[in-house]
Each structure stands twice: as structure tokens, then as C-alpha cells.
Amino acid sequence: MTMFCNQCEQASHGTGCTTAGVCGKDEDVQSLQEILIYGLKGVAAYAHHARKVGMRDERVNAFLEEALFSTLTNVSFDPEALLELCLECGQVNLQVMKMLDEGHRLRFGEPRPSMVREGTVAGRGILVSGHDLADLAELLQQCEGTGVNVYTHGEMLPAHAYPKLASHPNLAGHYGSAWQHQKGEFAAFSGRS
């Protein structure tokens, strides 16, 4: 296993430590910290979306602080403690996803199978990617009565299953395919006709 660590200001020559950390950590600790950092990014993103639909849990916030402290400060190089934090991160992520699901259901209604128009219709349009349903709801309100159609792309497709979003007259359909194709599909989007 080869180590590459660029997690702190002590990284060798500003490029990262490759054999052992200047700080004293080894490759196992560096790997566990890296896994935890990636996990925390996901938890933080879902927690942010959950907050936007009125859901929060102080235990989640406390975990984020504790886990982030354990990675950024380089004060703990205990692999067992870091492994426990990685496992707890998975549990916390499940909790946050449940919160987000509950918030979506409370705010936008119980999702149900829905027919979704593919492609565009005549007129101006906005193409929305990502998975922030609260932002989509706000955009739909802002476009109301303007004649501007709103289309989902990629991960935003499930928005059509929520009754309060699907009933909005400006939600015109779904355009394109998966998120990894958005660069080309956004360029080809004909929302200015």
C-alpha cells in the first residue's frame, strides 16, 4: 500500500506525504481519515438538504463536528477509534437520508409512480440538475406565470413523483439522461426556442 496524504499544512514540500506523514501518521490512519472525510462530505450534503425542508437533528451536527475534528486536527492517530468513526458515519448517513426522505414527503407529498414527458416543448425553458428539491420548488414558484418551462435532468427525475411538485404547471418534463452526460446535454438543450 502506498500512502499519499495531503490532509494538513505539514504535508511534505506542500505536495503530500508519500511514505509516512510528517505528523507521524501511517498509511492505515491516513486511509481511515480519508474515508471519513469522504463520508462526512456525503452526510453534510444530505444534512444541508434536510435542513432546507425543515429537518434537523443535533446528534448529526455533533457527530459532524466530532468526526471532522478527528481528521483535520491530526491529534488522534488511533486506527480503532477512526474505524469506529467511519462505521458510525455510515449509520449517521442513513439517519440523515431518513430525515431527508421524511422532509420531502412532508413538504411535497407522498411520492407515487408518475408518467413524465421526455424532451422539450416549444418555448423558453430552464434545465435543472442535481437533487435539491427545495431549490426546484423555489424555482417553480419563481417561474409561475412567466411562460418559462422547467425541466429536470439526471438525478432530479424523482421530483415528478411528488404531487406538490408534479402539479406545478411550469414543470414541463425531463430532458436528457444521467448526470455524467450533462455537459453535452446542457449544451444541446433548446430552452431558448
Side-chain angles (χ1 to χ4, degrees):
M1 178 185 242
T2 302
M3 176 173 153
F4 178 77
C5 181
N6 61 354
Q7 296 171 350
C8 71
E9 74 281 352
Q10 299 173 22
S12 180
H13 308 292
T15 61
C17 299
T18 57
T19 55
V22 172
C23 60
K25 75 174 81 166
D26 65 18
E27 59 195 17
D28 292 335
V29 167
Q30 184 275 329
S31 294
L32 288 166
Q33 285 181 332
E34 197 77 17
I35 289 168
L36 189 54
I37 289 169
Y38 280 103
L40 289 172
K41 288 178 182 181
V43 170
Y46 283 124
H48 174 73
H49 289 304
R51 278 187 221 104
K52 289 176 78 173
V53 290
M55 306 300 290
R56 57 181 69 244
D57 183 338
E58 289 309 314
R59 293 171 300 178
V60 170
N61 295 340
F63 172 77
L64 285 167
E65 290 175 15
E66 175 191 0
L68 194 57
F69 180 83
S70 75
T71 62
L72 295 180
T73 58
N74 276 337
V75 296
S76 172
F77 296 147
D78 178 4
E80 287 79 21
L82 288 167
L83 178 59
E84 285 301 315
L85 282 171
C86 287
L87 295 173
E88 186 178 353
C89 187
Q91 293 170 340
V92 170
N93 194 48
L94 288 175
Q95 172 61 27
V96 170
M97 290 171 57
K98 287 178 186 176
M99 290 168 37
L100 181 58
D101 180 56
E102 182 181 348
H104 284 161
R105 290 169 187 268
L106 289 171
R107 184 158 175 199
F108 305 119
E110 202 62 34
R112 58 180 182 237
S114 303
M115 296 294 291
V116 179
R117 175 185 305 152
E118 290 184 77
T120 62
V121 295
R124 297 174 297 156
I126 298 173
L127 185 56
V128 182
S129 192
H131 44 81
D132 191 329
L133 297 183
D135 279 355
L136 177 65
E138 188 175 323
L139 180 64
L140 288 168
Q141 286 179 322
Q142 292 171 353
C143 290
E144 194 168 323
T146 65
V148 175
N149 295 313
V150 177
Y151 300 90
T152 58
H153 181 274
E155 298 154 321
M156 196 60 85
L157 177 62
H160 297 272
Y162 291 92
K164 289 183 181 174
L165 295 173
S167 67
H168 201 286
N170 292 74
L171 187 58
H174 187 78
Y175 177 85
S177 58
W179 67 267
Q180 62 266 32
H181 303 292
Q182 66 187 350
K183 186 175 182 180
E185 290 174 351
F186 271 57
F189 178 66
S190 59
R192 289 170 263 149
S193 53

